[in-house]
Amino acid sequence: MMNFISSAIGKFTEENEPSTAAPTPRSDEELMAEMEKLKQQAYEACMADIGQCLNSYLAKTGTTGTYEGWISEMHPENLKHGKIDHRFYLKDSEYRVRWNEKVDQRRFVYALDPA
């Protein structure tokens, strides 16, 4: 059993050691594709975090929770004079869209005209 564990640890270590070889030059297209992939991964992680925070808030507050209360709790820096930043009410606001997906229609938050 120890030989198996030692072998597995050795293989893991070899595979995860930083390479001492010079990096292979990449084209602008390859670099852009990699950046787009990282951007998409960051977006997906952010959306997952928003979803988890919303689920926690709704579990804690039940039917008494409000959109403004959730945003104020999640982003207190966006609360000014008792109101949340107007961008949270825009049509494409991921927060507003997620909220409306989770609550019944009586608690919907409708988009405000940006003008």
Side-chain angles (χ1 to χ4, degrees):
M1 183 65 140
M2 287 302 278
N3 287 338
F4 173 76
I5 294 171
S6 296
S7 174
I9 291 172
K11 184 176 180 185
F12 177 82
T13 303
E14 289 171 11
E15 291 172 355
N16 292 291
E17 285 182 1
S19 173
T20 56
T24 305
R26 293 182 282 170
S27 69
D28 289 346
E29 292 81 17
E30 290 171 323
L31 291 171
M32 287 300 292
E34 185 177 337
M35 287 191 307
E36 285 299 321
K37 181 180 176 183
L38 291 171
K39 179 180 163 184
Q40 183 62 32
Q41 289 172 344
Y43 173 80
E44 290 170 4
C46 183
M47 292 300 101
D49 186 50
I50 289 172
Q52 290 171 352
C53 290
L54 177 56
N55 289 340
S56 293
Y57 178 78
L58 291 174
K60 179 175 68 175
T61 61
T63 59
T64 63
T66 64
Y67 179 68
E68 291 76 11
W70 173 51
I71 297 299
S72 298
E73 186 175 289
M74 191 170 179
H75 293 292
E77 71 278 7
N78 285 299
L79 183 66
K80 304 281 189 240
H81 308 291
K83 294 185 178 190
I84 59 174
D85 189 307
H86 72 281
R87 293 173 292 179
F88 287 97
Y89 295 101
L90 296 177
K91 179 182 177 188
D92 295 331
S93 167
E94 293 283 356
Y95 294 87
R96 192 187 62 76
V97 170
R98 294 283 177 127
W99 175 267
N100 287 344
E101 290 172 350
K102 292 284 185 177
V103 299
D104 62 62
Q105 194 168 7
R106 292 172 296 162
R107 295 169 63 194
F108 265 29
V109 173
Y110 294 95
L112 298 179
D113 186 4

